[in-house]
Amino acid sequence: MKSISKILMIVISLLSYTACTAQIKNSTTTTVAISGNCDMCKATIEKAGNDKNMAKVDWNKDTKKASITYDAKKTTLDVVLKKIALAGYDNEQFVAPDEVYAQLPGCCQYERAKKTAVVEKHSQSHDKGAAHDHSQHDGTTAPAETNELKPVFDRYFMLKDALVKSDGATAATKAKEFISTINAVQMEKLATKEHTVWMSVMKKLSGAATLIAETKNIAKQRNAFSNLSKDMYTLIAAAPQTAPVYYQHCPMYDDGKGAHWLSKEDAVKNPYYGATMLTCGKTVETISK
Amino acid sequence: MIIKQSIYKGIGLLVALLLGHPPNVSAQKVVRYDLYVKDTMVNYTGKEKRAIAVNGQIPMPTLTFTEGDTAEIWVHNQLNESTSLHWHGLFLPNKEDGVPNLTQMPIAPGTTHVYRFPIIQQGTHWYHSHSGLQEQIGMYGNFVMNKKADALNIRKGIDDLPTLPVVLSEWTDLKPENVHRMLHNANDWSALKKNAVQSYAEAAKAGHLNTKFKNEWKRMLAMDVSDVYYNKIFMNGQSESSFSAHQGKVLKAGDKVRLRISNGGASSYFWLRYAGGKMTVVATDGNDIAPVEVDRLIIAVSETYDIVLTIPEEGMAYELLATTEDRTNSASLYIGAGRKQLIAPLPRLKYFEGMKMMNGMMKMNGNLDDMGMKMSLNKMDMNVVMYPEITGAAPKKGDKKKMDMASGAHSMDDQYNSNALSDIVTLNYAMMKATEPTTLPEAPTRTLQFELTGNMNRYVWSMNNKVISETDKILVKKGENLRLVIYNNSMMRHPMHLHGHDFRVVNGQGAYAPLKNVIDIMPMETDTLEFNANVEGDWFFHCHILYHMMSGMGRIFTYENQAANPLIPNPKLAKRMLYADDRMPHFMIENDFASNGNDGMMMIQNTRWSVGTEWRLGYHAMHGYETETHIGRYIGKMQWLMPFIGFDWRYRKMGHGEVEKNLFGQKNTKDNRAQLSLGVEYTLPMLIRFQTEVYQDGNLRLQLMREDIPIAKRLRMSFMVNTDMEYMGGFKYILNRNFALSAHYDSDMGFGAGFTLGY
């Protein structure tokens, strides 16, 4: 008996030994920068990148760097990094899809390098700005008045698109971004009329947006969005944009009380019901300069 | 005019060089390619497998011409089997079309065949083997014809862009012959690999038990959007590749590129999506269309699309993702140089939603019911019910559906209209508009109606319920206009391809109907195509899913009083060889090695006939030995009915005076019994096979049986009961493609357990 148990012991220890060392063959180790915030990020990143006997990822939340060990004969660093990006984490080689990033828990939504927004702003303020601004402003403020509000409208449309898709996570993210664009508006650059309206709606806008940002519950978000849209309408009526904007109405929302929203397209994409009632509603007013 | 050819033999291409510059503009340039077709071993998945390479490469080399050239393509067959090359979508003399046994005899091993034809069109096309299943294992390549530099139809901002030809394809580690055989035997290994078995257990878990029940009641097998599991997906032979520079210049922000994309896959449709924004579609099947901006498009088997993509930002590359329609696999091409912006993968299909949708459409007699929706041109896609990105994620358990209040407010039409349901713009045929009028010449018009038919369970695919070998060629008068009205009454979509002609897709664009040579027709859709019959010859019109074509889904158009094809010296022999493709029998065998005996079956089947033998062999005389052989013919479109003649033999040692009686009191005393029989088998709802059989001694036997009831992903149940008071019930747990663990109880042999080997 004893000898059997001894043999067993040896076999077990041998097995566990091989299990421990059944590690990655032909191993290569590299250090790669991967964005992320917290321990939750660490778990997601490592789970995404690890591959039994082929790749092992060890991410450090302080340095934002991972040491990746992989079997160079069976896989490549790119394969590992692509999987990590598809889990939502930007890295040296790959940038995560926006939708996947938006699905990350709030604490994991690390600071992303700004992308397209920068390019857009530049081109906008140069060509369209100067041409007609002189005709409208009173000569004392800077010439770029309408464009000061453009980012606010842009974010609003993104938020609306997220609601059209019934995507609560993205809606929350976009609402957050909407709030920061509100805070970034330089009021002294607004024309007098716009300035007055802005002062009256600004608080309400960020209030409604905060409600959207704080939840992923799409029903609550839509409720707040209907209030937000009223104030956005007041704002755009005072500060029409170069491209036409359509004021649209859904008669069914909130037990038939109805609700409005603004859209860049004439075709109806209803943000209050998403796919179930996507084309319900109609354009009630076209607002343009 | 002096044309000197200097020929470089070797791995690369052999191109004729034009030396003297003739003063005459109309001088023809001969462009010569030499293609060496050879067996090769590839290793895409860690296993060495056979493939076919041309000039040492997979895909075959891209052949490039300019409108007005003469193509001269030398095919050197270094295989041990015959081959052929078909120039997909090209206008050419019939004998250059490359369909073995129809437009030429197969290119025998060790011989060389020269294809020579003038290039009289432009655009993105491709070429592939038309022999057997060679297309599946490497014989596909890009075929690009550029516009002349001074052509009037040059489009600035499109034809002058950096261009990359891309051919999509798939790879399976299984031999394609085996894939074909398994499809015909309704083997569900592919579904297992794709996690799409849709068993009762999975249905129950998803809250769709009733759906599954109804599905089997309507005699359907698990529904899927594609049949074959592939290990790898390729763009130009690679799963991941980059397009970062063109002619030595690195692509930068704001640059546009044009991709000439062909789907060289044997049976896969691909979704194309771009991480850098909208895609502009500028041509299809080699014909220019007015640019259309879309978020995504599905490219049917053998279609081609030209798309223009923009690189939005400096220092970035953007993923173009080609995902198989079943969403199990994909290939990526990164456009631009730098960090790679990925696009989110398509979420998994909601199979049970699809099953439910199919249940609603399927009538009890196997026909489809479109509920008056008049579907066409891919505008409505019933499959949207399975797309989470369009119709929302599958409800989690306990979630009450919140959609109810909305239903009714929607018209039936919008329910499946992908573009109305979401802000994702999906390309469909109605959105395509030719760049110039495509009206046909004034001529008498004849309308031909076709119904696409098929039977998933036995993998028989046909037109008007007849396969190629069961029909005559369709006679066409040169100069007449033909209008084809095609209705898909089968459960799968079919990419229908016409050789040698482009057809107009009648899509509401009037004179500007787009020209194509492949049209994807989804279940229940009706599409109308028109073309002018202007080139004599025998032209194939077939479904381009390789395994559907090989099963006989096609027709041949032939011109009245046309000249004989010099490449077909013996038309009768050629015809017989052509018909052999869909007449090919498929073989399967299975044996259960159990503790109480051996149970097994063997079957050889083709489109209409089935020869099957079952056996039960005990280990001693008391248990007995018996076999039953049935030779039957399947009747009807759904093939639920099969009359057969049979032969039974059995030997069983019975006790003294022991008499077996059946339910009808008929006696059976013989230990050694050999009987001829007549019978009929009918597939009942729930896919139960009901057999009625009368033996020569007057005995009657009725039997109910079903094998392979999908209980759980890998667990199958079977049962049998008959009026000879015999019964059997068992379980099988599938381990791999050929091997399963099994246990069953049999009224003759008692309980037994063992393993089942199958092929």
Side-chain angles (χ1 to χ4, degrees):
Chain A
M1 251 338 258
K2 245 190 179 174
S3 61
I4 290 175
S5 60
K6 257 186 193 167
I7 290 169
L8 265 175
M9 286 276 282
I10 290 166
V11 170
I12 288 166
S13 57
L14 268 177
L15 276 176
S16 55
Y17 176 73
T18 42
C20 294
T21 53
Q23 272 172 359
I24 294 156
K25 288 175 199 153
N26 315 302
S27 74
T28 311
T29 304
T30 356
T31 306
V32 186
I34 300 174
S35 303
N37 279 343
C38 54
D39 284 327
M40 218 155 131
C41 295
K42 180 178 165 70
T44 315
I45 291 171
E46 293 181 355
K47 189 174 167 228
N50 286 346
D51 203 342
K52 205 182 169 196
N53 295 343
M54 272 160 61
K56 180 110 184 61
V57 181
D58 184 11
W59 184 75
N60 184 314
K61 74 171 174 184
D62 300 320
T63 61
K64 316 279 187 224
K65 283 196 162 60
S67 131
I68 301 180
T69 306
Y70 61 97
D71 180 340
K73 279 197 175 156
K74 284 189 178 149
T75 187
T76 63
L77 185 60
D78 274 5
V79 169
V80 179
L81 289 177
K82 187 174 179 179
K83 283 197 234 165
I84 292 171
L86 286 177
Y89 292 91
D90 297 349
N91 55 60
E92 286 176 18
Q93 294 298 323
F94 294 93
V95 181
D98 290 350
E99 304 98 291
V100 181
Y101 170 84
Q103 295 291 332
L104 292 175
C107 64
C108 289
Q109 291 190 347
Y110 53 91
E111 200 72 26
R112 281 186 117 179
K114 281 274 180 293
K115 292 192 299 183
T116 38
V118 185
V119 181
E120 235 176 48
K121 249 190 182 169
H122 280 287
S123 61
Q124 287 297 340
S125 58
H126 284 293
D127 48 45
K128 285 170 194 151
H132 46 68
D133 286 343
H134 289 285
S135 58
Q136 288 190 2
H137 77 87
D138 52 19
T140 52
T141 50
E145 68 238 301
T146 44
N147 294 316
E148 199 51 40
L149 292 176
K150 187 168 185 301
V152 179
F153 288 109
D154 285 347
R155 292 295 152 180
Y156 168 85
F157 292 129
M158 288 180 195
L159 169 60
K160 184 220 40 163
D161 290 343
L163 293 175
V164 168
K165 283 187 201 158
S166 302
D167 182 347
T170 308
T173 319
K174 293 302 167 195
K176 237 181 262 168
E177 291 170 11
F178 178 78
I179 297 164
S180 37
T181 52
I182 290 178
N183 297 334
V185 170
Q186 292 175 279
M187 279 183 276
E188 65 277 12
K189 289 188 182 168
L190 296 173
T192 326
K193 188 174 141 207
E194 291 166 3
H195 195 187
T196 325
V197 176
W198 178 250
M199 292 298 285
S200 71
V201 297
M202 192 184 93
K203 280 257 161 62
K204 288 193 268 177
L205 287 177
S206 42
T210 311
L211 289 177
I212 299 174
E214 276 171 353
T215 176
K216 284 183 187 174
N217 179 324
I218 196 87
K220 285 187 191 155
Q221 287 174 333
R222 283 176 170 145
N223 190 18
F225 183 74
S226 70
N227 293 323
L228 176 67
S229 293
K230 276 182 216 154
D231 296 319
M232 285 303 283
Y233 173 71
T234 321
L235 181 62
I236 200 155
Q241 300 291 295
T242 333
V245 168
Y246 303 92
Y247 190 47
Q248 296 172 325
H249 178 65
C250 165
M252 281 176 60
Y253 185 66
D254 202 8
D255 292 328
K257 284 188 199 121
H260 290 83
W261 73 95
L262 297 172
S263 170
K264 282 195 287 191
E265 297 94 29
D266 195 14
V268 169
K269 298 264 153 120
N270 188 327
Y272 294 103
Y273 288 103
T276 43
M277 291 290 296
L278 191 72
T279 51
C280 165
K282 59 173 193 232
T283 300
V284 289
E285 190 181 341
T286 306
I287 306 148
S288 63
K289 270 200 167 165
Chain B
M1 168 173 80
I2 313 150
I3 296 175
K4 247 193 189 175
Q5 287 180 344
S6 64
I7 298 163
Y8 302 97
K9 282 213 167 178
I11 336 151
L13 325 169
L14 285 180
V15 183
L17 284 182
L18 189 72
L19 287 185
H21 282 286
N24 187 348
V25 191
S26 69
Q28 276 197 329
K29 189 176 145 198
V30 175
V31 179
R32 170 168 168 165
Y33 285 98
D34 274 68
L35 303 175
Y36 296 87
V37 187
K38 210 175 169 182
D39 269 327
T40 187
M41 295 304 280
V42 293
N43 187 337
Y44 292 125
T45 61
K47 288 177 195 146
E48 294 264 314
K49 294 288 167 185
R50 181 203 170 217
I52 299 176
V54 167
N55 296 357
Q57 63 176 87
I58 295 175
M60 303 196 280
T62 298
L63 309 184
T64 311
F65 303 89
T66 302
E67 195 170 355
D69 289 349
T70 293
E72 195 175 287
I73 304 161
W74 294 57
V75 182
H76 308 273
N77 183 6
Q78 300 178 339
L79 300 170
N80 297 323
E81 61 191 51
S82 69
T83 190
S84 62
L85 284 176
H86 165 61
W87 321 101
H88 185 103
L90 262 69
F91 306 147
L92 34 60
N94 190 241
K95 68 185 177 62
E96 310 300 337
D97 196 41
V99 181
N101 302 312
L102 184 68
T103 67
Q104 65 172 97
M105 294 313 287
I107 305 172
T111 64
T112 297
H113 181 88
V114 184
Y115 292 97
R116 191 184 159 97
F117 47 88
I119 300 289
I120 56 171
Q121 68 202 112
Q122 63 83 30
T124 303
H125 294 77
W126 64 295
Y127 68 112
H128 60 88
S129 166
H130 224 291
S131 295
L133 303 167
Q134 291 174 345
E135 183 195 326
Q136 178 80 81
I137 53 172
M139 289 188 73
Y140 43 81
N142 296 298
F143 194 109
V144 174
M145 294 176 286
N146 292 310
K147 290 174 186 168
K148 277 189 208 166
D150 57 354
L152 292 172
N153 57 356
I154 287 267
R155 292 193 286 179
K156 285 228 168 71
I158 295 174
D159 288 320
D160 48 5
L161 293 177
T163 299
L164 180 73
V166 174
V167 61
L168 293 158
S169 63
E170 351 91 325
W171 174 259
T172 165
D173 267 351
L174 294 179
K175 278 190 192 151
E177 291 76 18
N178 204 7
V179 170
H180 194 205
R181 190 188 61 82
M182 283 163 58
L183 287 171
H184 281 272
N185 291 317
N187 188 310
D188 55 6
W189 180 244
S190 266
L192 236 162
K193 290 293 274 188
K194 296 197 293 189
N195 193 16
V197 173
Q198 302 159 50
S199 64
Y200 277 98
E202 291 160 290
K205 211 169 147 193
H208 273 288
L209 194 59
N210 198 28
T211 308
K212 175 69 185 170
F213 191 77
K214 203 167 165 195
N215 195 244
E216 293 218 318
W217 180 254
K218 294 198 170 185
R219 290 175 275 199
M220 287 189 270
L221 293 177
M223 74 92 58
D224 202 347
V225 292
S226 68
D227 308 327
V228 185
Y229 170 76
Y230 289 101
N231 300 83
K232 291 278 174 190
I233 298 306
F234 298 134
M235 279 157 126
N236 290 338
Q238 288 181 302
S239 292
E240 302 256 326
S241 53
S242 286
F243 183 34
S244 55
H246 183 72
Q247 294 175 340
K249 274 174 69 186
V250 174
L251 298 173
K252 46 183 204 312
D255 279 358
K256 290 184 173 192
V257 300
R258 174 203 203 161
L259 302 182
R260 294 173 173 274
I261 304 175
S262 308
N263 183 353
S267 74
S268 299
Y269 284 60
F270 296 99
W271 282 112
L272 297 176
R273 291 149 70 238
Y274 181 52
K278 300 242 183 207
M279 310 188 291
T280 309
V281 183
V282 297
T284 176
D285 292 350
N287 295 298
D288 285 352
I289 58 170
V292 193
E293 279 201 350
V294 297
D295 293 301
R296 64 183 194 174
L297 67 92
I298 193 162
I299 180 169
V301 174
S302 84
E303 273 188 319
T304 81
Y305 283 103
D306 288 35
I307 60 174
V308 172
L309 304 176
T310 310
I311 297 167
E313 209 184 326
E314 198 60 41
M316 293 284 288
Y318 294 83
E319 186 178 37
L320 177 80
L321 189 67
T323 310
T324 51
E325 194 189 5
D326 62 27
R327 306 176 171 202
T328 57
N329 219 330
S330 62
S332 307
L333 172 66
Y334 302 101
I335 316 284
R339 279 219 300 173
K340 301 175 176 98
Q341 170 68 57
L342 301 176
I343 187 162
L346 285 170
R348 188 180 147 79
L349 292 173
K350 297 180 284 180
Y351 277 112
F352 289 111
E353 291 296 332
M355 185 182 276
K356 200 167 142 194
M357 174 270 290
M358 235 33 238
N359 287 349
M361 299 297 142
M362 178 64 94
K363 291 195 244 177
M364 227 28 228
N365 66 2
N367 279 335
L368 296 177
D369 179 3
D370 68 355
M371 306 190 202
M373 282 192 290
K374 303 241 184 318
M375 299 166 62
S376 67
L377 304 165
N378 284 193
K379 280 184 289 187
M380 268 183 258
D381 181 355
M382 310 295 286
N383 289 337
V384 293
V385 301
M386 292 192 283
Y387 300 158
E389 73 278 14
I390 307 275
T391 47
K396 288 197 187 94
K397 232 185 170 178
D399 261 14
K400 275 260 175 191
K401 275 190 193 165
K402 289 168 195 149
M403 299 189 172
D404 298 341
M405 68 161 289
S407 62
H410 256 282
S411 74
M412 194 69 186
D413 292 359
D414 272 359
Q415 199 178 343
Y416 302 109
N417 182 338
S418 175
N419 289 344
L421 286 172
S422 78
D423 58 354
I424 299 171
V425 180
T426 305
L427 184 70
N428 63 50
Y429 293 130
M431 294 157 77
M432 298 176 193
K433 187 180 177 189
T435 48
E436 45 196 65
T438 58
T439 33
L440 300 179
E442 282 288 319
T445 301
R446 194 149 60 98
T447 303
L448 300 172
Q449 305 270 357
F450 292 104
E451 184 184 337
L452 307 181
T453 41
N455 168 344
M456 191 68 213
N457 304 23
R458 291 199 58 251
Y459 215 73
V460 172
W461 299 103
S462 53
M463 292 168 76
N464 299 340
N465 195 25
K466 289 214 158 58
V467 295
I468 295 166
S469 67
E470 294 173 323
T471 50
D472 292 327
K473 293 176 184 173
I474 297 170
L475 273 181
V476 172
K477 274 198 199 75
K478 189 165 180 182
E480 71 175 333
N481 290 334
L482 287 179
R483 181 178 291 140
L484 312 182
V485 179
I486 309 175
Y487 170 60
N488 184 354
N489 192 17
S490 80
M491 284 172 59
M492 302 290 293
R493 56 205 300 172
H494 300 285
M496 300 304 295
H497 170 52
L498 176 64
H499 285 214
H501 308 70
D502 276 345
F503 46 71
R504 308 173 77 227
V505 178
V506 179
N507 70 341
Q509 302 280 7
Y512 291 86
L515 290 173
K516 285 179 64 65
N517 54 63
V518 182
I519 184 161
D520 169 49
I521 309 180
M522 296 204 278
M524 292 175 281
E525 279 194 330
T526 304
D527 285 324
T528 304
L529 321 172
E530 294 178 338
F531 67 99
N532 179 246
N534 55 7
V535 210
E536 284 190 353
D538 283 353
W539 301 103
F540 217 161
F541 174 55
H542 62 91
C543 172
H544 214 289
I545 292 178
L546 187 57
Y547 303 100
H548 292 189
M549 181 184 80
M550 293 302 283
S551 305
M553 189 168 198
R555 284 294 182 274
I556 294 154
F557 286 109
T558 191
Y559 284 66
E560 284 179 10
N561 307 317
Q562 65 187 15
N565 184 338
L567 298 184
I568 304 273
N570 184 344
K572 268 194 178 153
L573 173 75
K575 190 171 158 186
R576 203 163 69 229
M577 285 168 64
L578 181 73
Y579 285 179
D581 278 349
D582 69 57
R583 285 178 174 160
M584 194 179 96
H586 297 277
F587 177 73
M588 71 164 292
I589 185 166
E590 195 179 273
N591 190 55
D592 181 22
F593 300 89
S595 55
N596 58 350
N598 278 275
D599 260 334
M601 63 170 313
M602 185 171 83
M603 214 151 46
I604 300 176
Q605 311 183 80
N606 70 7
T607 314
R608 306 289 171 199
W609 291 94
S610 159
V611 180
T613 297
E614 291 178 24
W615 58 82
R616 269 177 290 283
L617 309 172
Y619 290 124
H620 50 80
M622 289 295 282
H623 279 173
Y625 318 99
E626 61 180 286
T627 82
E628 284 176 30
T629 302
H630 291 166
I631 301 172
R633 184 179 163 87
Y634 292 104
I635 308 290
K637 184 186 78 164
M638 299 309 289
Q639 304 203 332
W640 285 327
L641 184 68
M642 182 183 78
F644 62 86
I645 54 171
F647 175 74
D648 281 21
W649 174 82
R650 90 162 188 225
Y651 177 81
R652 178 160 30 176
K653 189 97 181 138
M654 292 194 203
H656 233 351
E658 188 182 343
V659 176
E660 272 190 358
K661 258 192 201 170
N662 71 12
L663 201 63
F664 312 109
Q666 290 168 317
K667 284 176 194 161
N668 173 5
T669 51
K670 281 188 198 153
D671 287 354
N672 193 346
R673 172 182 147 98
Q675 291 279 310
L676 287 172
S677 68
L678 276 177
V680 61
E681 181 176 297
Y682 186 73
T683 305
L684 293 171
M686 299 305 293
L687 297 164
I688 293 167
R689 291 189 293 145
F690 173 50
Q691 267 182 16
T692 307
E693 204 172 358
V694 183
Y695 296 90
Q696 71 187 74
D697 60 5
N699 274 10
L700 174 72
R701 191 184 79 177
L702 307 181
Q703 175 169 295
L704 292 172
M705 72 183 293
R706 164 123 196 238
E707 279 153 2
D708 293 331
I709 305 167
I711 298 297
K713 190 178 163 192
R714 281 171 183 272
L715 190 66
R716 304 287 175 272
M717 190 179 91
S718 57
F719 76 88
M720 182 276 286
V721 54
N722 66 26
T723 54
D724 286 353
M725 315 284 208
E726 292 173 322
Y727 55 90
M728 188 279 292
F731 287 97
K732 200 159 84 173
Y733 184 81
I734 300 173
L735 293 176
N736 67 23
R737 192 154 49 82
N738 302 115
F739 202 69
L741 294 177
S742 53
H744 72 274
Y745 184 83
D746 183 301
S747 58
D748 285 350
M749 300 192 279
F751 179 79
F755 58 90
T756 305
L757 272 179
Y759 174 76

